[in-house]
Amino acid sequence: MAAVRSLLLHAAGPVVLVPTMGALHHGHAALIKHARKLAGKSGMVVVSIFVNPLQFAPKEDLAAYPRPLSKDKAICKSLGVDVVFLPSVESLIPADASVYVDEGGLLSSVLCGRSRPGHFKGVCTIVAKLFNIIQPKSAVFGEKDWQQLAIIRRMVRDLNFPVKVIGYPIVREADGLAVSSRNAYLSAQERALAPRFYEALQFAVEKYSTPEAIVREAVSRIQSIPGTRVDYVEVVDSSTLQPVKKLKAETMLAAAIFLGRTRLIDNIQITRL
Ligand code: AMP
């Protein structure tokens, strides 16, 4: 920790942090390039790679989560990252840790929080630690994990972290599937079906103008994809994440499904009013 801090003391410009769990793909690369732009020539870009055990439930994929460290380091180097921060679990989470950062539930018990209790407490606790250790001017998070972004914004606001939180739009494969480290879990057959998830969301948003009809259409289209199970499909306020009865400014369609055993999430901001 002291070593990384002393490295960052040399930054003549802003320090910009991109927190990740590694297995870097072109979604992460887009965030890192954006961070590089924000930091400029004199600033420093820090990419943290930490597969955070606190955000996985006991039966989730913590052990199986991909950890291609040398490849990740090479990607960071090619993108002009100044510091790759690779804390060990022991260094970040004391065995007898008893203080955590927990959003009260308004934002973290809905959507993904319903099927992943404790997930956002794990995320907030580690992101708060990264902010304290790195002390970045700004931090870049992807809009693919919109709920995470909304909760981090709330944490920064409510706990007065002097960090600017920057959202970056969802990066997609050419066929529309949101890029994700977990896409590697999909079989070839599932991978071929996966774009139908985003297509279903898009179709519903384009065709209907009430939350109820949008959700009904999206669910029915998702259910027609072989091997899928809907976790949730909801139209919510983009900041409060609470369900809305009518479309208004800042409304989003958010969804999570299982395709086989792989959990996929996606969202669309509904701007048409
Ligand atoms: P992860 O390594 O999955 O925890 O992701 C690290 C950061 O990259 C998070 O802020 C994610 O939201 C972001 N991210 C991952 N995939 C994408 C994507 N397809 N588009 C935009 N951001 C992404």
Side-chain angles (χ1 to χ4, degrees):
M1 313 285 164
V4 74
R5 279 296 317 142
S6 66
L7 261 176
L8 295 171
L9 285 178
H10 298 298
V15 171
V16 183
L17 171 67
V18 184
T20 80
M21 296 207 299
L24 301 179
H25 49 60
H26 56 280
H28 296 117
L31 267 66
I32 294 170
K33 284 182 196 160
H34 189 60
R36 185 69 270 168
K37 264 192 211 141
L38 295 171
K41 282 206 182 91
S42 56
M44 281 188 164
V45 174
V46 182
V47 171
S48 61
I49 298 181
F50 183 65
V51 183
N52 171 15
L54 297 182
Q55 70 184 69
F56 287 79
K59 282 191 180 153
E60 289 183 343
D61 55 340
L62 174 63
Y65 201 85
R67 293 164 168 88
L69 196 52
S70 339
K71 195 174 154 210
D72 284 350
K73 283 185 183 166
I75 291 173
C76 287
K77 196 170 176 197
S78 74
L79 294 169
V81 170
D82 298 289
V83 177
V84 181
F85 181 50
L86 293 161
S88 65
V89 173
E90 301 70 41
S91 68
L92 219 51
I93 310 170
D96 61 348
S98 56
V99 178
Y100 297 88
V101 180
D102 196 4
E103 191 280 328
L106 271 178
L107 303 181
S108 55
S109 65
V110 297
L111 305 177
C112 289
R114 215 172 288 123
S115 53
R116 304 188 76 188
H119 171 73
F120 291 109
K121 179 179 170 186
V123 170
C124 284
T125 301
I126 294 303
V127 171
K129 284 167 180 274
L130 292 173
F131 285 179
N132 285 334
I133 296 162
I134 307 293
Q135 298 177 24
K137 181 156 194 272
S138 36
V140 185
F141 293 85
E143 291 180 357
K144 180 169 105 48
D145 300 274
W146 184 277
Q147 185 173 14
Q148 168 175 282
L149 175 60
I151 293 171
I152 298 291
R153 285 193 199 284
R154 183 62 67 93
M155 176 184 88
V156 161
R157 188 198 74 178
D158 289 1
L159 298 184
N160 300 91
F161 277 98
V163 178
K164 187 169 177 203
V165 175
I166 292 161
Y168 191 87
I170 301 177
V171 177
R172 298 183 180 281
E173 303 288 1
D175 59 16
L177 175 66
V179 183
S180 165
S181 309
R182 289 192 168 98
N183 293 349
Y185 298 156
L186 297 169
S187 68
Q189 204 180 4
E190 289 164 348
R191 177 63 190 81
L193 293 168
R196 287 173 56 185
F197 175 31
Y198 177 53
E199 276 165 29
L201 303 181
Q202 239 184 345
F203 184 91
V205 164
E206 276 164 22
K207 182 151 185 212
Y208 292 101
S209 47
T210 66
E212 202 190 334
I214 291 172
V215 168
R216 197 182 329 110
E217 181 68 30
V219 167
S220 131
R221 285 185 169 254
I222 292 165
Q223 280 171 340
S224 76
I225 311 170
T228 51
R229 178 166 68 77
V230 171
D231 181 359
Y232 65 80
V233 176
E234 286 188 48
V235 174
V236 298
D237 179 290
S238 307
S239 303
T240 66
L241 309 181
Q242 304 307 306
V244 292
K245 290 224 154 46
K246 276 188 182 165
L247 296 190
K248 53 187 183 75
E250 310 237 325
T251 305
M252 70 189 285
L253 174 61
I257 64 166
F258 284 91
L259 179 48
R261 292 168 62 173
T262 307
R263 190 169 186 278
L264 302 176
I265 59 170
D266 208 335
N267 67 78
I268 295 182
Q269 300 301 315
I270 306 172
T271 47
R272 161 185 48 85
L273 279 178

